[in-house]
Structures are given as C-alpha cells and as structure tokens.
Amino acid sequence: MKMIIDTDPGVDDAIAIALAHALPEIDLIGLTTVFGNTRVDQSSRNARFLLDMLGADAPVSEGAAKPWNDYPFEPSAWVHGPEGLGDLAEVPQIGANHALPAAEFLVEMARQHKGELVVCAIAPLTNIADALKLDPGFAENLGKLVIMGGNLHCPGNITPQAEANIYHDPAAADAVFASGLNTVMVGLDVTLQTLLTPADFTALAAASEKTGGFIQRISEFYLKFYKEVADLDGCPMHDAAAVLACSHPQFFGCEKTGLRVICDGEEVGNTVADASRPTVSIATKIDARASLDLMQSHIAALP
C-alpha cells in the first residue's frame, strides 16, 4: 500500500509514523506536514527527525501554516510539549524539506499512483483541502483518505462538541467532506477505546531500546496530560488507529453517512451527519485489543 501520512508530530503522530514504518503492508512514500499540535516548521522538523531515527527513506513536504479563513490557532503545547515531542527541549534539524509544498506533492503523488495512493491524515485537514482546491482531479486520483478526526456519537475532546483536528480548521474539514473523496473517518468514537498504559510503554522500551525507548520517553508528558485532565491511566492510541484502519480494516466496524462540519457558533468543529453530502465511512466499532497488540508487536520489533 502506497501511503502518505499528513501529520503534525505530536506524540501520537510519532507512534503512528513508527507503526506505518514497521508494518509490512505499508510503503510509506512521504510525510506532509501542517500546523496543529505544533507550528508547521516544528511539524516538519519533527517529521524529518522521526524518519531519520527510524531509518525510513521518505521525503517530508511542508504544508499549511495556518487554517482557512484566518481561523484562530494555537499549538497544543499543553498536550504534546513545547516542541511537540513531550519534554524534549530541543529537536535536531536533520535534512531538508521536499522542494514541492504539501498540496502540490499530494496532487503529484496521487497522479503518479492513481487509484492506489492512500493518504492517512492525522492532523487538521488543511493540506487535503488545499490539494482539492489545486487540482479538481485529486478526488478521483486518490485511492483513499483515512482521517483521524471527528466524532459522531460521542463528545469532543477540545470542546464539548468538537474533536481537535477538525476544530483547528473546520472550513477545510467541511470542504473535504463535501468533496466526494473516498473517505474513512476514524474519530473519537473508536480511538478513545484504545488506551496505552505506562506499562505498555515500559514493555515497548524493553523490547525496542531505540524506538520503543524514545516513544516511552516522549509519552510521559502525554500520559501526564491525560491523567491530570481526564483522570485516565493511559493515553488513547488516536493516530495509530487511523494507520491500522488503512492496513487492517477488518479491525473496524463502520457506518456510512454524509458529514458536514459546523463552522461557526458554539458548536464550531462539530461533525454532524448530513444525508445530502457524499457518503463517508465512519468507524464506530473497533477491536481494541487486536489493534493495541498489533501496534505493540510491530513497534517492539524495531531497533
């Protein structure tokens, strides 16, 4: 499976990227970066650093620095740390970004791999919406879009109504859901069922000194946030669940409906069913144990 991950690393993004690299079903051909958990320049730096650490040979293409319509944005430093990777105070600058900006890179890769490319978007959807605006054929060329974001039958995680990735650029997300892209939404309805505990991270570090040890280190900040804010003894696997929805769709049960995003007012960022829109597959069930076990076993096998 040819895959591009659209990302804003982010602790859970780092886990998802490591998982995609580890899975034999996935050929990771690039990362596109966007604002979200961090500023876009931090996202790109973190993405290049993570690929280098993993020994993964893939380009990083930098994308949108801000949401559509000048929607207000603030990096999620209180969740992921000041540089996006937990308590790391400095992340080294390694290599350089791809010459093409993210929207152009996505359009070009979708043309080259027409009908085969899967984009796993685990960040605000600005780059995806920009690619649709740049090339009307993008929706037809792309094989599938799998989104970590949204919520249909449960509350949000940044406001009572909204999930964070959708909330950070509601207009772009609404444009994506209106586009007719072959889309799967892996949102809070399932990701909140996939809790990684401190013991899980300890086991990863014991099995994989370099990669697992790094993930354990950056997870400490993330775990502390979930304990203090939600009184959870673990953190959801959010972004890695979207990667698994690409490679192991049998782990998920989906409903099909159109979606729109509320773009103003008290419910801004809410994803709501809209039968007049193109159909989206929305994950509402997950085999959480199988998902967690597969993620841990594959990352544990990395150096």
Side-chain angles (χ1 to χ4, degrees), residues 192-258:
L192 291 176
Q193 300 177 45
T194 60
L195 281 188
L196 288 162
T197 67
D200 291 327
F201 288 108
T202 299
L204 271 183
S208 165
E209 184 177 355
K210 182 181 178 183
T211 305
F214 175 79
I215 288 172
Q216 182 193 35
R217 179 182 173 187
I218 65 173
S219 73
E220 291 174 358
F221 190 98
Y222 200 50
L223 287 164
K224 182 180 178 183
F225 167 80
Y226 275 99
K227 182 63 178 176
E228 291 179 350
V229 173
D231 197 28
L232 291 175
D233 293 320
C235 58
M237 197 171 68
H238 290 313
D239 293 344
V243 171
L244 289 176
C246 301
S247 62
H248 292 74
Q250 67 272 23
F251 289 173
F252 297 82
C254 293
E255 297 180 10
K256 293 183 181 291
T257 184

Short mmCIF file of all heavy atoms in Angstrom, two decimals, residues 192-258:
data_model
loop_
_atom_site.label_atom_id
_atom_site.label_comp_id
_atom_site.label_asym_id
_atom_site.label_seq_id
_atom_site.Cartn_x
_atom_site.Cartn_y
_atom_site.Cartn_z
N LEU A 192 -10.91 6.51 21.50
CA LEU A 192 -10.93 6.59 22.96
C LEU A 192 -11.01 5.21 23.62
O LEU A 192 -10.84 5.09 24.83
CB LEU A 192 -12.10 7.47 23.43
CG LEU A 192 -11.98 8.96 23.11
CD1 LEU A 192 -13.23 9.70 23.53
CD2 LEU A 192 -10.75 9.56 23.77
N GLN A 193 -11.24 4.17 22.80
CA GLN A 193 -11.28 2.81 23.33
C GLN A 193 -9.89 2.15 23.33
O GLN A 193 -9.75 1.02 23.79
CB GLN A 193 -12.23 1.95 22.50
CG GLN A 193 -13.67 2.45 22.48
CD GLN A 193 -14.55 1.60 21.58
OE1 GLN A 193 -14.49 0.37 21.61
NE2 GLN A 193 -15.37 2.25 20.76
N THR A 194 -8.89 2.85 22.83
CA THR A 194 -7.55 2.25 22.66
C THR A 194 -6.56 2.91 23.60
O THR A 194 -5.77 3.75 23.20
CB THR A 194 -7.07 2.42 21.21
OG1 THR A 194 -7.01 3.82 20.89
CG2 THR A 194 -8.00 1.74 20.23
N LEU A 195 -6.59 2.52 24.86
CA LEU A 195 -5.73 3.15 25.85
C LEU A 195 -4.40 2.41 25.99
O LEU A 195 -4.36 1.20 26.24
CB LEU A 195 -6.42 3.18 27.22
CG LEU A 195 -7.47 4.26 27.46
CD1 LEU A 195 -7.88 4.25 28.92
CD2 LEU A 195 -7.00 5.63 27.05
N LEU A 196 -3.31 3.18 25.84
CA LEU A 196 -1.96 2.68 26.10
C LEU A 196 -1.57 3.10 27.51
O LEU A 196 -1.59 4.28 27.84
CB LEU A 196 -0.98 3.27 25.08
CG LEU A 196 -1.09 2.72 23.66
CD1 LEU A 196 -0.41 3.67 22.69
CD2 LEU A 196 -0.46 1.35 23.58
N THR A 197 -1.19 2.15 28.34
CA THR A 197 -0.85 2.42 29.73
C THR A 197 0.65 2.62 29.90
O THR A 197 1.44 2.28 29.02
CB THR A 197 -1.29 1.24 30.61
OG1 THR A 197 -0.48 0.10 30.29
CG2 THR A 197 -2.77 0.91 30.40
N PRO A 198 1.07 3.18 31.03
CA PRO A 198 2.52 3.27 31.29
C PRO A 198 3.22 1.92 31.17
O PRO A 198 4.35 1.85 30.68
CB PRO A 198 2.57 3.81 32.72
CG PRO A 198 1.32 4.62 32.86
CD PRO A 198 0.28 3.87 32.07
N ALA A 199 2.56 0.84 31.60
CA ALA A 199 3.17 -0.49 31.48
C ALA A 199 3.38 -0.90 30.03
O ALA A 199 4.37 -1.57 29.69
CB ALA A 199 2.28 -1.53 32.19
N ASP A 200 2.46 -0.48 29.14
CA ASP A 200 2.63 -0.76 27.72
C ASP A 200 3.88 -0.08 27.17
O ASP A 200 4.64 -0.68 26.40
CB ASP A 200 1.41 -0.29 26.93
CG ASP A 200 0.15 -1.09 27.21
OD1 ASP A 200 0.28 -2.31 27.46
OD2 ASP A 200 -0.94 -0.50 27.19
N PHE A 201 4.11 1.16 27.57
CA PHE A 201 5.28 1.88 27.09
C PHE A 201 6.57 1.30 27.68
O PHE A 201 7.60 1.25 27.01
CB PHE A 201 5.16 3.37 27.43
CG PHE A 201 4.13 4.08 26.59
CD1 PHE A 201 2.93 4.50 27.15
CD2 PHE A 201 4.36 4.35 25.25
CE1 PHE A 201 1.98 5.15 26.39
CE2 PHE A 201 3.42 5.00 24.48
CZ PHE A 201 2.22 5.41 25.04
N THR A 202 6.51 0.85 28.93
CA THR A 202 7.67 0.20 29.54
C THR A 202 8.03 -1.07 28.78
O THR A 202 9.22 -1.35 28.53
CB THR A 202 7.38 -0.12 31.02
OG1 THR A 202 7.13 1.10 31.72
CG2 THR A 202 8.56 -0.83 31.66
N ALA A 203 7.02 -1.83 28.39
CA ALA A 203 7.26 -3.06 27.64
C ALA A 203 7.85 -2.76 26.26
O ALA A 203 8.74 -3.47 25.79
CB ALA A 203 5.96 -3.85 27.50
N LEU A 204 7.37 -1.69 25.62
CA LEU A 204 7.93 -1.29 24.32
C LEU A 204 9.41 -0.95 24.46
O LEU A 204 10.24 -1.35 23.63
CB LEU A 204 7.18 -0.08 23.78
CG LEU A 204 5.95 -0.31 22.92
CD1 LEU A 204 5.40 1.02 22.43
CD2 LEU A 204 6.27 -1.21 21.72
N ALA A 205 9.73 -0.19 25.50
CA ALA A 205 11.13 0.22 25.71
C ALA A 205 12.03 -0.98 25.98
O ALA A 205 13.18 -1.02 25.54
CB ALA A 205 11.21 1.22 26.85
N ALA A 206 11.50 -1.97 26.69
CA ALA A 206 12.29 -3.16 26.99
C ALA A 206 12.56 -3.98 25.73
O ALA A 206 13.63 -4.57 25.58
CB ALA A 206 11.57 -4.02 28.03
N ALA A 207 11.59 -4.00 24.82
CA ALA A 207 11.73 -4.80 23.59
C ALA A 207 12.51 -4.07 22.51
O ALA A 207 13.23 -4.69 21.73
CB ALA A 207 10.35 -5.18 23.07
N SER A 208 12.35 -2.75 22.45
CA SER A 208 12.95 -1.94 21.39
C SER A 208 13.66 -0.76 22.04
O SER A 208 13.05 0.25 22.34
CB SER A 208 11.87 -1.45 20.42
OG SER A 208 12.34 -0.41 19.59
N GLU A 209 14.96 -0.93 22.26
CA GLU A 209 15.69 0.07 23.05
C GLU A 209 15.67 1.45 22.42
O GLU A 209 15.44 2.44 23.10
CB GLU A 209 17.14 -0.40 23.25
CG GLU A 209 17.96 0.54 24.14
CD GLU A 209 19.35 0.03 24.38
OE1 GLU A 209 19.66 -1.10 23.95
OE2 GLU A 209 20.15 0.75 25.01
N LYS A 210 15.90 1.53 21.12
CA LYS A 210 15.99 2.83 20.46
C LYS A 210 14.61 3.43 20.22
O LYS A 210 14.27 4.48 20.77
CB LYS A 210 16.74 2.70 19.14
CG LYS A 210 16.92 4.02 18.40
CD LYS A 210 17.67 3.80 17.09
CE LYS A 210 17.82 5.10 16.32
NZ LYS A 210 18.48 4.88 15.00
N THR A 211 13.80 2.76 19.41
CA THR A 211 12.49 3.31 19.05
C THR A 211 11.51 3.25 20.22
O THR A 211 10.87 4.25 20.55
CB THR A 211 11.91 2.56 17.84
OG1 THR A 211 12.85 2.59 16.76
CG2 THR A 211 10.61 3.20 17.38
N GLY A 212 11.39 2.08 20.82
CA GLY A 212 10.48 1.94 21.95
C GLY A 212 10.89 2.80 23.12
O GLY A 212 10.04 3.39 23.81
N GLY A 213 12.21 2.91 23.36
CA GLY A 213 12.69 3.77 24.44
C GLY A 213 12.38 5.23 24.19
O GLY A 213 11.99 5.96 25.11
N PHE A 214 12.52 5.67 22.94
CA PHE A 214 12.18 7.04 22.59
C PHE A 214 10.69 7.29 22.79
O PHE A 214 10.28 8.32 23.36
CB PHE A 214 12.58 7.33 21.14
CG PHE A 214 12.16 8.68 20.67
CD1 PHE A 214 12.87 9.82 21.02
CD2 PHE A 214 11.04 8.83 19.86
CE1 PHE A 214 12.46 11.08 20.58
CE2 PHE A 214 10.63 10.08 19.42
CZ PHE A 214 11.36 11.20 19.78
N ILE A 215 9.86 6.36 22.31
CA ILE A 215 8.41 6.54 22.45
C ILE A 215 8.02 6.57 23.92
O ILE A 215 7.16 7.36 24.34
CB ILE A 215 7.67 5.43 21.68
CG1 ILE A 215 7.80 5.69 20.17
CG2 ILE A 215 6.20 5.36 22.09
CD1 ILE A 215 7.27 4.57 19.31
N GLN A 216 8.64 5.72 24.73
CA GLN A 216 8.34 5.77 26.17
C GLN A 216 8.69 7.13 26.75
O GLN A 216 7.91 7.70 27.52
CB GLN A 216 9.11 4.68 26.91
CG GLN A 216 8.79 4.68 28.42
CD GLN A 216 9.76 3.84 29.23
OE1 GLN A 216 10.94 3.77 28.92
NE2 GLN A 216 9.24 3.19 30.26
N ARG A 217 9.83 7.68 26.37
CA ARG A 217 10.26 8.96 26.92
C ARG A 217 9.27 10.07 26.57
O ARG A 217 8.84 10.83 27.44
CB ARG A 217 11.65 9.33 26.42
CG ARG A 217 12.12 10.68 26.95
CD ARG A 217 13.47 11.10 26.43
NE ARG A 217 13.77 12.47 26.84
CZ ARG A 217 14.82 13.15 26.42
NH1 ARG A 217 15.71 12.59 25.62
NH2 ARG A 217 15.01 14.39 26.83
N ILE A 218 8.91 10.18 25.29
CA ILE A 218 8.03 11.30 24.90
C ILE A 218 6.61 11.09 25.39
O ILE A 218 5.85 12.06 25.54
CB ILE A 218 8.06 11.54 23.38
CG1 ILE A 218 7.48 10.34 22.60
CG2 ILE A 218 9.47 11.88 22.91
CD1 ILE A 218 7.32 10.62 21.10
N SER A 219 6.24 9.83 25.69
CA SER A 219 4.88 9.55 26.15
C SER A 219 4.63 10.02 27.57
O SER A 219 3.47 10.21 27.97
CB SER A 219 4.58 8.06 26.04
OG SER A 219 5.28 7.33 27.05
N GLU A 220 5.68 10.21 28.36
CA GLU A 220 5.49 10.57 29.76
C GLU A 220 4.72 11.88 29.91
O GLU A 220 3.82 12.00 30.75
CB GLU A 220 6.85 10.66 30.46
CG GLU A 220 7.53 9.30 30.61
CD GLU A 220 8.94 9.41 31.17
OE1 GLU A 220 9.39 10.55 31.42
OE2 GLU A 220 9.59 8.36 31.37
N PHE A 221 5.04 12.87 29.08
CA PHE A 221 4.34 14.16 29.10
C PHE A 221 2.88 13.97 28.72
O PHE A 221 1.97 14.52 29.35
CB PHE A 221 5.04 15.11 28.12
CG PHE A 221 4.58 16.54 28.19
CD1 PHE A 221 5.32 17.48 28.90
CD2 PHE A 221 3.43 16.95 27.53
CE1 PHE A 221 4.90 18.80 28.95
CE2 PHE A 221 3.01 18.27 27.59
CZ PHE A 221 3.75 19.21 28.30
N TYR A 222 2.65 13.15 27.68
CA TYR A 222 1.31 12.88 27.14
C TYR A 222 0.46 12.14 28.18
O TYR A 222 -0.71 12.48 28.40
CB TYR A 222 1.51 12.04 25.89
CG TYR A 222 0.38 12.00 24.90
CD1 TYR A 222 -0.24 13.15 24.43
CD2 TYR A 222 -0.04 10.77 24.37
CE1 TYR A 222 -1.24 13.09 23.49
CE2 TYR A 222 -1.04 10.70 23.42
CZ TYR A 222 -1.64 11.87 22.98
OH TYR A 222 -2.63 11.80 22.03
N LEU A 223 1.04 11.15 28.83
CA LEU A 223 0.33 10.41 29.86
C LEU A 223 -0.05 11.31 31.03
O LEU A 223 -1.16 11.20 31.59
CB LEU A 223 1.19 9.24 30.36
CG LEU A 223 1.35 8.05 29.43
CD1 LEU A 223 2.52 7.17 29.89
CD2 LEU A 223 0.07 7.21 29.38
N LYS A 224 0.85 12.19 31.39
CA LYS A 224 0.58 13.12 32.49
C LYS A 224 -0.60 14.01 32.16
O LYS A 224 -1.48 14.27 33.01
CB LYS A 224 1.82 13.96 32.78
CG LYS A 224 1.65 14.91 33.95
CD LYS A 224 2.94 15.72 34.18
CE LYS A 224 2.77 16.71 35.32
NZ LYS A 224 3.98 17.55 35.51
N PHE A 225 -0.67 14.49 30.91
CA PHE A 225 -1.80 15.31 30.48
C PHE A 225 -3.12 14.55 30.65
O PHE A 225 -4.08 15.07 31.21
CB PHE A 225 -1.62 15.74 29.02
CG PHE A 225 -2.87 16.31 28.41
CD1 PHE A 225 -3.24 17.63 28.66
CD2 PHE A 225 -3.70 15.53 27.61
CE1 PHE A 225 -4.41 18.14 28.10
CE2 PHE A 225 -4.86 16.03 27.06
CZ PHE A 225 -5.21 17.35 27.31
N TYR A 226 -3.17 13.31 30.16
CA TYR A 226 -4.43 12.56 30.23
C TYR A 226 -4.81 12.21 31.66
O TYR A 226 -6.00 12.15 31.99
CB TYR A 226 -4.34 11.29 29.37
CG TYR A 226 -4.69 11.59 27.92
CD1 TYR A 226 -3.69 11.77 26.97
CD2 TYR A 226 -6.01 11.72 27.52
CE1 TYR A 226 -4.01 12.07 25.65
CE2 TYR A 226 -6.34 12.02 26.21
CZ TYR A 226 -5.33 12.19 25.29
OH TYR A 226 -5.66 12.51 23.99
N LYS A 227 -3.82 12.03 32.52
CA LYS A 227 -4.13 11.76 33.92
C LYS A 227 -4.68 13.01 34.60
O LYS A 227 -5.69 12.93 35.31
CB LYS A 227 -2.87 11.28 34.65
CG LYS A 227 -3.11 10.91 36.11
CD LYS A 227 -4.09 9.75 36.25
CE LYS A 227 -4.30 9.34 37.69
NZ LYS A 227 -5.33 8.27 37.82
N GLU A 228 -4.06 14.14 34.34
CA GLU A 228 -4.46 15.37 35.01
C GLU A 228 -5.79 15.91 34.48
O GLU A 228 -6.61 16.42 35.25
CB GLU A 228 -3.37 16.43 34.85
CG GLU A 228 -2.10 16.12 35.63
CD GLU A 228 -1.03 17.16 35.44
OE1 GLU A 228 -1.19 18.03 34.55
OE2 GLU A 228 0.00 17.11 36.16
N VAL A 229 -6.01 15.80 33.20
CA VAL A 229 -7.19 16.41 32.57
C VAL A 229 -8.39 15.48 32.56
O VAL A 229 -9.53 15.90 32.79
CB VAL A 229 -6.85 16.89 31.14
CG1 VAL A 229 -8.10 17.38 30.42
CG2 VAL A 229 -5.81 17.99 31.20
N ALA A 230 -8.16 14.19 32.28
CA ALA A 230 -9.26 13.25 32.12
C ALA A 230 -9.26 12.13 33.15
O ALA A 230 -10.14 11.26 33.11
CB ALA A 230 -9.23 12.65 30.72
N ASP A 231 -8.28 12.13 34.06
CA ASP A 231 -8.14 11.08 35.07
C ASP A 231 -8.07 9.69 34.44
O ASP A 231 -8.64 8.72 34.95
CB ASP A 231 -9.28 11.15 36.09
CG ASP A 231 -8.95 10.36 37.36
OD1 ASP A 231 -7.75 10.23 37.69
OD2 ASP A 231 -9.89 9.84 38.02
N LEU A 232 -7.36 9.60 33.31
CA LEU A 232 -7.16 8.32 32.64
C LEU A 232 -5.79 7.76 33.00
O LEU A 232 -4.82 8.50 33.06
CB LEU A 232 -7.24 8.49 31.12
CG LEU A 232 -8.61 8.82 30.52
CD1 LEU A 232 -8.47 9.07 29.02
CD2 LEU A 232 -9.61 7.69 30.78
N ASP A 233 -5.72 6.46 33.20
CA ASP A 233 -4.45 5.79 33.48
C ASP A 233 -3.82 5.29 32.19
O ASP A 233 -3.29 4.18 32.09
CB ASP A 233 -4.66 4.63 34.45
CG ASP A 233 -5.08 5.12 35.83
OD1 ASP A 233 -4.52 6.15 36.28
OD2 ASP A 233 -5.97 4.50 36.44
N GLY A 234 -3.89 6.10 31.15
CA GLY A 234 -3.33 5.77 29.86
C GLY A 234 -3.69 6.86 28.87
O GLY A 234 -4.39 7.81 29.19
N CYS A 235 -3.18 6.72 27.65
CA CYS A 235 -3.47 7.69 26.60
C CYS A 235 -4.05 6.96 25.39
O CYS A 235 -3.62 5.84 25.07
CB CYS A 235 -2.22 8.46 26.20
SG CYS A 235 -0.84 7.45 25.61
N PRO A 236 -5.03 7.55 24.71
CA PRO A 236 -5.59 6.90 23.53
C PRO A 236 -4.55 6.78 22.41
O PRO A 236 -3.65 7.61 22.28
CB PRO A 236 -6.73 7.83 23.12
CG PRO A 236 -7.05 8.62 24.35
CD PRO A 236 -5.74 8.78 25.07
N MET A 237 -4.71 5.75 21.60
CA MET A 237 -3.78 5.48 20.51
C MET A 237 -4.11 6.33 19.28
O MET A 237 -3.51 6.14 18.22
CB MET A 237 -3.87 3.99 20.16
CG MET A 237 -2.72 3.46 19.35
SD MET A 237 -2.74 1.65 19.18
CE MET A 237 -4.17 1.37 18.15
N HIS A 238 -5.02 7.27 19.40
CA HIS A 238 -5.57 8.10 18.32
C HIS A 238 -5.00 7.84 16.93
O HIS A 238 -5.62 7.17 16.11
CB HIS A 238 -5.36 9.57 18.67
CG HIS A 238 -6.19 10.08 19.80
ND1 HIS A 238 -7.54 9.83 19.92
CD2 HIS A 238 -5.86 10.86 20.87
CE1 HIS A 238 -8.01 10.41 21.01
NE2 HIS A 238 -7.00 11.05 21.61
N ASP A 239 -3.82 8.40 16.62
CA ASP A 239 -3.33 8.43 15.24
C ASP A 239 -2.94 7.06 14.72
O ASP A 239 -3.14 6.76 13.54
CB ASP A 239 -2.14 9.40 15.13
CG ASP A 239 -2.54 10.84 15.35
OD1 ASP A 239 -3.75 11.15 15.28
OD2 ASP A 239 -1.65 11.68 15.57
N ALA A 240 -2.38 6.22 15.57
CA ALA A 240 -2.02 4.87 15.14
C ALA A 240 -3.27 4.07 14.75
O ALA A 240 -3.20 3.18 13.90
CB ALA A 240 -1.24 4.15 16.23
N ALA A 241 -4.41 4.39 15.36
CA ALA A 241 -5.65 3.70 14.99
C ALA A 241 -6.00 3.99 13.53
O ALA A 241 -6.50 3.11 12.81
CB ALA A 241 -6.79 4.12 15.92
N ALA A 242 -5.75 5.21 13.08
CA ALA A 242 -6.03 5.55 11.68
C ALA A 242 -5.10 4.78 10.74
O ALA A 242 -5.52 4.34 9.66
CB ALA A 242 -5.90 7.05 11.46
N VAL A 243 -3.84 4.62 11.13
CA VAL A 243 -2.91 3.81 10.33
C VAL A 243 -3.44 2.38 10.22
O VAL A 243 -3.44 1.77 9.14
CB VAL A 243 -1.50 3.84 10.93
CG1 VAL A 243 -0.59 2.84 10.23
CG2 VAL A 243 -0.91 5.25 10.83
N LEU A 244 -3.91 1.83 11.33
CA LEU A 244 -4.43 0.46 11.31
C LEU A 244 -5.71 0.35 10.49
O LEU A 244 -5.98 -0.71 9.90
CB LEU A 244 -4.68 -0.03 12.73
CG LEU A 244 -3.42 -0.33 13.55
CD1 LEU A 244 -3.79 -0.72 14.97
CD2 LEU A 244 -2.59 -1.43 12.90
N ALA A 245 -6.49 1.41 10.42
CA ALA A 245 -7.69 1.38 9.58
C ALA A 245 -7.32 1.28 8.11
O ALA A 245 -8.12 0.79 7.30
CB ALA A 245 -8.54 2.62 9.83
N CYS A 246 -6.11 1.74 7.75
CA CYS A 246 -5.62 1.58 6.38
C CYS A 246 -5.16 0.15 6.13
O CYS A 246 -5.50 -0.45 5.11
CB CYS A 246 -4.45 2.54 6.13
SG CYS A 246 -4.79 4.28 6.35
N SER A 247 -4.37 -0.39 7.05
CA SER A 247 -3.73 -1.68 6.83
C SER A 247 -4.56 -2.87 7.29
O SER A 247 -4.44 -3.97 6.75
CB SER A 247 -2.38 -1.73 7.55
OG SER A 247 -2.55 -1.59 8.96
N HIS A 248 -5.42 -2.67 8.30
CA HIS A 248 -6.20 -3.76 8.89
C HIS A 248 -7.66 -3.31 9.08
O HIS A 248 -8.16 -3.23 10.22
CB HIS A 248 -5.59 -4.19 10.23
CG HIS A 248 -4.26 -4.86 10.09
ND1 HIS A 248 -3.11 -4.17 9.79
CD2 HIS A 248 -3.91 -6.17 10.21
CE1 HIS A 248 -2.11 -5.01 9.73
NE2 HIS A 248 -2.56 -6.24 9.96
N PRO A 249 -8.35 -3.03 7.99
CA PRO A 249 -9.74 -2.54 8.12
C PRO A 249 -10.66 -3.53 8.80
O PRO A 249 -11.72 -3.14 9.31
CB PRO A 249 -10.16 -2.29 6.66
CG PRO A 249 -9.23 -3.13 5.84
CD PRO A 249 -7.93 -3.15 6.58
N GLN A 250 -10.26 -4.81 8.85
CA GLN A 250 -11.11 -5.81 9.50
C GLN A 250 -11.23 -5.58 11.00
O GLN A 250 -12.10 -6.16 11.65
CB GLN A 250 -10.55 -7.22 9.24
CG GLN A 250 -9.21 -7.54 9.87
CD GLN A 250 -8.02 -7.16 8.99
OE1 GLN A 250 -8.13 -6.32 8.11
NE2 GLN A 250 -6.89 -7.82 9.22
N PHE A 251 -10.39 -4.74 11.57
CA PHE A 251 -10.48 -4.42 12.99
C PHE A 251 -11.60 -3.43 13.30
O PHE A 251 -11.88 -3.16 14.47
CB PHE A 251 -9.17 -3.82 13.50
CG PHE A 251 -8.00 -4.77 13.58
CD1 PHE A 251 -6.74 -4.31 13.88
CD2 PHE A 251 -8.17 -6.13 13.38
CE1 PHE A 251 -5.66 -5.17 13.98
CE2 PHE A 251 -7.10 -7.01 13.47
CZ PHE A 251 -5.84 -6.53 13.76
N PHE A 252 -12.24 -2.87 12.26
CA PHE A 252 -13.17 -1.76 12.45
C PHE A 252 -14.55 -2.09 11.89
O PHE A 252 -14.68 -2.80 10.90
CB PHE A 252 -12.64 -0.50 11.74
CG PHE A 252 -11.34 -0.02 12.30
CD1 PHE A 252 -10.14 -0.59 11.89
CD2 PHE A 252 -11.30 1.00 13.24
CE1 PHE A 252 -8.92 -0.15 12.41
CE2 PHE A 252 -10.10 1.44 13.76
CZ PHE A 252 -8.91 0.86 13.35
N GLY A 253 -15.55 -1.54 12.55
CA GLY A 253 -16.91 -1.55 12.02
C GLY A 253 -17.33 -0.14 11.70
O GLY A 253 -17.07 0.78 12.48
N CYS A 254 -17.97 0.05 10.56
CA CYS A 254 -18.26 1.41 10.08
C CYS A 254 -19.73 1.63 9.80
O CYS A 254 -20.45 0.71 9.39
CB CYS A 254 -17.45 1.71 8.82
SG CYS A 254 -15.67 1.79 9.06
N GLU A 255 -20.16 2.85 10.00
CA GLU A 255 -21.43 3.35 9.50
C GLU A 255 -21.14 4.22 8.27
O GLU A 255 -20.05 4.76 8.14
CB GLU A 255 -22.14 4.21 10.54
CG GLU A 255 -22.54 3.49 11.80
CD GLU A 255 -23.23 4.40 12.80
OE1 GLU A 255 -23.57 5.56 12.43
OE2 GLU A 255 -23.42 3.98 13.95
N LYS A 256 -22.14 4.36 7.41
CA LYS A 256 -21.97 5.20 6.22
C LYS A 256 -23.02 6.31 6.22
O LYS A 256 -24.21 6.05 6.34
CB LYS A 256 -22.09 4.37 4.94
CG LYS A 256 -20.94 3.37 4.76
CD LYS A 256 -21.06 2.63 3.45
CE LYS A 256 -19.93 1.63 3.27
NZ LYS A 256 -18.63 2.27 3.08
N THR A 257 -22.52 7.53 6.12
CA THR A 257 -23.40 8.69 6.01
C THR A 257 -22.60 9.86 5.48
O THR A 257 -21.36 9.84 5.50
CB THR A 257 -24.02 9.07 7.37
OG1 THR A 257 -24.95 10.16 7.19
CG2 THR A 257 -22.96 9.50 8.37
N GLY A 258 -23.28 10.87 4.99
CA GLY A 258 -22.60 12.11 4.66
C GLY A 258 -22.31 12.90 5.94
O GLY A 258 -22.95 12.68 6.98
#
